[in-house]
Amino acid sequence: MVTREDIRELAQFQATLPDACALSFYFQPGAPQDKSHRSDAIQVKDLIRDAMRESQKHGKNACARGDLERILDVVGSLGASQRQAKAIFACKSLNFWREFDLPPQLAKTQLVVNRRFDLRPLAILLGAHPRLCVTLVDRQRARFFDLRLDQLTEGEGIFHKLPRAKNYGFKGYDAGHAERRIADDALHHFKNIADRLKDEFERGVWEKLIVGCNDSIWSEFEAQLHNYVNQRLLGHFPIDVASATPEEIRSLGARVLRGSIEERGQKLLDDTLSFAKANGRGVTGLRRVLNAVESGEAQTLFLSDSYSAKAVECTNCGHIDSHMIPACVACGQATRELEDVCEALIPIAIRRDIELFYLKKQPALDQVGNIAAMLRYRMDITPAGQNSLAS
């Protein structure tokens, strides 16, 4: 499973040596087209042949060939039952090889040879995924799960046996007392679960929470959650705790998470575009976004899912400019062309913990160039509180 530390390591990597290149391979398993199950391998062979041809054309054949042949071996060893997607990042010249299993949700199988690793597919897949706790609750038990991407891991649960009142007294006169004792016992059980969630959150075990329970007890349980745990609650779904299967939990939890991410992304984008119109904590367009990222102002970055734009990058200081200029405006050194600015922009965003949202079918974002950023602050605010317009 990919961790944040893994992603930051990939974002830091750059093949600066003359004989080095960074190779990014994403494998999305397809439906078998025949009994031989060789369609995926044939597709990868075609990609590798094309990559070798391009590498040879740019004088990078020596650095890429070994990694490309190793990737072919990896794909060839995958069985017909392979359901997980896979990502491989390699640079033989620097003895770098990282291999990750991913949920089968990639757009396609692809192979890229460049100076940096292509992290766009990984960023689209991960999106704004937090460390997620899924807790299933009923009046007798609680089950705790860690859900990261498509991987569900169950932790130690809680089981509390409710007392059974066998005798309600003469003509059942004590039945009300017995029911209240059972209700009080269940309430104590809910409080224990809430205390555990509070403790785990404070220790950084999880960042966001989803609850699964019967609708009849949801209000009782929610009332016991501590305020700052409740603030990190993404939602809840109905489920039978005792009989719930991992696949059912994974599916329902992922649905709540997707809905929450889409809702939050839409709200943040609307706020950002409103801020930008008022010359506040929002900017749109590639030039302004690049300036905000470089200055440290950017907090959240919004891109259309197919966004691409040319830019130049300084070979000395790393400054990125949307104008296709031969010399860097910051240090005067030579620049190199970037076919896609995301090649450099996404690693910077990952290293600086800038939240990334890839959005589909957003007319409002399309009207401002398909790229925008919400800011932590604006550096061009004057002491009088007025914003000086960006040049």
Side-chain angles (χ1 to χ4, degrees):
M1 182 177 67
V2 185
T3 66
R4 292 186 179 184
E5 291 70 27
D6 293 327
I7 298 171
R8 288 195 179 98
E9 180 190 31
L10 296 172
Q12 293 281 1
F13 186 90
Q14 189 168 353
T16 55
L17 298 177
D19 62 341
C21 53
L23 190 149
S24 310
F25 173 69
Y26 293 92
F27 173 73
Q28 172 63 26
Q33 297 180 359
D34 52 49
K35 293 182 180 180
S36 67
H37 302 281
R38 300 300 298 168
S39 56
D40 286 334
I42 293 171
Q43 181 185 12
V44 173
K45 283 183 179 179
D46 290 340
L47 287 173
I48 288 177
R49 185 183 64 247
D50 293 342
M52 284 185 174
R53 187 183 300 118
E54 286 298 312
S55 298
Q56 191 168 14
K57 187 186 302 182
H58 294 91
K60 294 286 186 178
N61 188 50
C63 76
R65 178 175 291 276
D67 288 329
L68 292 171
E69 291 175 348
R70 187 175 175 184
I71 287 173
L72 190 58
D73 290 339
V74 170
V75 175
S77 66
L78 299 177
S81 60
Q82 174 73 16
R83 290 294 177 265
Q84 290 287 90
K86 189 175 284 290
I88 296 174
F89 304 94
C91 178
K92 187 175 181 180
S93 300
L94 298 175
N95 196 30
F96 189 99
W97 179 276
R98 300 291 184 272
E99 188 174 334
F100 304 104
D101 288 328
L102 301 173
Q105 300 168 11
L106 299 173
K108 60 181 179 179
T109 296
Q110 57 184 301
L111 178 63
V112 178
V113 180
N114 210 324
R115 291 182 298 272
R116 296 185 183 89
F117 294 127
D118 179 15
L119 301 181
R120 180 198 288 263
L122 199 59
I124 292 175
L125 178 64
L126 296 178
H129 287 199
R131 291 195 300 275
L132 185 64
C133 173
V134 180
T135 301
L136 307 189
V137 179
D138 64 18
R139 293 183 183 275
Q140 288 185 274
R141 62 182 65 79
R143 300 171 66 186
F144 301 88
F145 298 86
D146 174 76
L147 179 60
R148 177 62 176 165
L149 295 179
D150 212 31
Q151 185 171 336
L152 187 73
T153 306
E154 184 167 8
E156 183 178 356
I158 294 176
F159 181 78
H160 179 73
K161 188 175 181 180
L162 291 174
R164 176 174 294 180
K166 296 182 179 180
N167 188 351
Y168 292 141
F170 181 69
K171 293 186 178 181
Y173 290 149
D174 291 335
H177 295 294
E179 289 176 0
R180 282 193 293 274
R181 284 197 299 272
I182 292 174
D184 289 344
D185 220 46
L187 185 61
H188 183 71
H189 171 58
F190 292 157
K191 286 182 178 178
N192 286 339
I193 299 169
D195 287 342
R196 171 165 166 175
L197 291 171
K198 171 179 174 288
D199 175 67
E200 289 184 346
F201 171 72
E202 289 176 340
R203 290 189 288 111
V205 175
W206 54 266
E207 295 172 324
K208 297 294 182 180
L209 173 67
I210 295 174
V211 175
C213 66
N214 192 292
D215 287 337
S216 63
I217 69 167
W218 168 241
S219 60
E220 296 178 58
F221 177 67
E222 185 185 22
Q224 304 308 315
L225 294 175
H226 296 267
N227 287 336
Y228 46 89
V229 171
N230 214 334
Q231 291 169 5
R232 286 151 182 87
L233 178 69
L234 300 183
H236 74 283
F237 56 83
I239 197 169
D240 181 75
V241 178
S243 63
T245 64
E247 184 55 41
E248 187 179 10
I249 298 165
R250 184 186 299 111
S251 174
L252 292 171
R255 186 171 65 186
V256 172
L257 177 62
R258 283 195 303 270
S260 173
I261 291 174
E262 290 172 2
E263 181 180 350
R264 182 169 179 271
Q266 185 63 60
K267 182 181 184 307
L268 287 176
L269 176 63
D270 292 343
D271 289 345
T272 298
L273 297 181
S274 296
F275 290 152
K277 288 178 181 178
N279 202 32
R281 288 193 311 111
V283 292
T284 59
L286 179 59
R287 179 172 61 86
R288 291 184 176 87
V289 168
L290 288 176
N291 290 339
V293 169
E294 190 169 66
S295 67
E297 296 172 275
Q299 175 177 300
T300 307
L301 184 61
F302 302 92
L303 300 161
S304 65
D305 61 342
S306 58
Y307 180 77
S308 178
K310 287 188 175 184
V312 294
E313 178 186 29
C314 178
T315 56
N316 178 51
C317 69
H319 170 71
I320 306 172
D321 203 310
S322 59
H323 299 296
M324 308 301 289
I325 52 178
C328 175
V329 296
C331 69
Q333 298 297 310
T335 62
R336 58 174 165 244
E337 183 177 332
L338 299 174
E339 283 295 322
D340 184 0
V341 68
C342 293
E343 170 197 332
L345 181 58
I346 292 175
I348 293 173
I350 292 171
R351 293 198 302 269
R352 297 187 179 182
D353 287 323
I354 298 172
E355 189 174 17
L356 282 165
F357 281 97
Y358 279 93
L359 305 172
K360 296 181 179 180
K361 298 178 181 178
Q362 290 288 338
L365 187 61
D366 180 62
Q367 291 173 8
V368 296
N370 288 304
I371 185 169
M374 177 177 280
L375 309 181
R376 296 183 174 92
Y377 54 86
R378 282 196 72 128
M379 295 180 66
D380 56 354
I381 295 180
T382 68
Q386 299 295 321
N387 292 335
S388 60
L389 295 176
S391 59

